[in-house]
Amino acid sequence: QQQVKQSPQSLIVQKGGISIINCAYENTAFDYFPWYQQFPGKGPALLIAIRPDVSEKKEGRFTISFNKSAKQFSLHIMDSQPGDSATYFCAARPNFGNEKLTFGTGTRLTIIP
Amino acid sequence: EPEVTQTPSHQVTQMGQEVILRCVPISNHLYFYWYRQILGQKVEFLVSFYNNEISEKSEIFDDQFSVERPDGSNFTLKIRSTKLEDSAMYFCASTLGRANYGYTFGSGTRLTVV
């Protein structure tokens, strides 16, 4: 019940296209859903996050869509650029305890010219 | 922008040896964490630390692991007797607390056990 399932495992998108990564969870106690971007040899960096009281959050080219009833959330990267090529992790955190993050399995995104 | 600093960036050690991974969290943060990422896999929670004590640990964090905050700035992870399967990237993270959801991760220490 603590798992966060992420798909796809890898994704290739043309420059200028839309990249979509999906995540699903089971634990209804999760109340904070961040996305992290990780470049090789670096730590995860917070990209954007959402709480379940809203269905969508947009920051620049990055949008999170959240479906509370389906327990799913997704990251959309509009106008994808080669610099977006990285591994993306969704994560979730419960509304109690010590704020431990549970990560998805990651999506390796490659933007091709 | 404040950073979480980890040293060393890469450590190679022989199986059975003790290693200490060091982290300097962001100075006003109150919650500290260690996560592990085996090559090509997801980031896994190891332990959280608050108010000078462990608040939660995963099943990975067995008796060979320990954490310490020896002074006001450093946060260390000790692996007492390393095994080959401990080879991974180890990330330190910190956050201000419940009212501030943002975690900041360090760049990690790549531990290679030979």
Side-chain angles (χ1 to χ4, degrees), chain B residues 5 15 26 28-29 31 38-39 46 49 54 56 61 70-71 75 77-78 88-90 92-93 96 99 104 109 112:
Chain B
T5 305
M15 191 169 56
I26 293 174
N28 64 337
H29 282 187
Y31 295 79
I38 293 171
L39 185 65
L46 289 178
F49 193 86
I54 291 173
E56 186 176 350
F61 194 89
D71 52 43
F75 179 50
L77 174 70
K78 181 192 292 186
M89 282 289 285
Y90 288 81
C92 174
L96 186 56
T104 303
T109 293
T112 303

Side-chain angles (χ1 to χ4, degrees), chain B residues 50 60 65:
Chain B
Y50 170 71
I60 303 169
F65 290 90

